[in-house]
Amino acid sequence: MVAMKAVLTGADITRALTRISHEIIEKNRGTENLLLLGIPTRGTYLAERIAAEIGRIDSQAIPVGTLDITLHRDDLRSKPPRALTPTRIPGGTVDGRRVILVDDVLFSGRTIRAALDALGELGRPALVQLAVLVDRGHRELPIRADYVGKNLPTSREEAVKVSITEIDGEDNVVIEGTHE
């Protein structure tokens, strides 16, 4: 039996996304020229929630798209094939825009490296930032998030599972594996 430890409730996730939204507005001195790109699957829904919260706070509609990274992953040969999801870029271009990549968990940094590669093929943003719900450490590449909902120190043997209402029917984050 796998041990599971709940670390974030739905209310915790809402507070974290609200804080991230405020930080994005402050760091970018407003919302002009922002584009949120979610990394499928959960990152897309988190990006939509952040955009909605920014819109509530700043009375500005923030465009949200998706960035498929499947063909840029460095583990294509070692994992089962994944279905491609469409990349959607509101306005048709990333050129000159302030792009914020959104993902659920930051671990090794390899997913974000793949996202940066995919983004580079689409154009040249003015700026790229990263927002994640959970940063669990164990980086293998020199990548860090600009906005973090929760830092969760974990062992490599543990797994962080993010559940969100849009996919899983509830919001929570659990750590699976060995716990002391």
Side-chain angles (χ1 to χ4, degrees), residues 35-89:
L35 169 63
L36 272 62
L37 291 180
I39 298 171
T41 302
R42 285 165 182 80
T44 300
Y45 294 104
L46 294 173
E48 289 171 355
R49 289 187 193 184
I50 291 169
E53 184 63 16
I54 289 172
R56 187 191 67 74
I57 296 164
D58 206 39
S59 300
Q60 295 291 326
I62 305 301
V64 180
T66 58
L67 182 64
D68 182 55
I69 64 162
T70 305
L71 297 178
H72 297 275
R73 296 185 61 91
D74 62 4
D75 60 0
L76 283 175
R77 288 185 285 282
S78 62
K79 290 197 174 185
R82 298 173 58 150
L84 298 177
T85 56
T87 291
R88 283 187 311 105
I89 307 296

Side-chain angles (χ1 to χ4, degrees), residues 3-9 12 152 161 172-176 179:
M4 290 183 17
K5 177 182 174 188
V7 290
L8 292 177
T9 65
D12 296 329
L152 289 177
K161 300 291 182 184
N172 66 40
V173 177
V174 299
I175 298 176
E176 295 179 349
H179 305 295

Side-chain angles (χ1 to χ4, degrees), residues 11 15 33 58 61 81 115 118 125 132 137 168:
R15 276 191 298 279
N33 213 20
D58 206 39
V132 297
D168 309 297

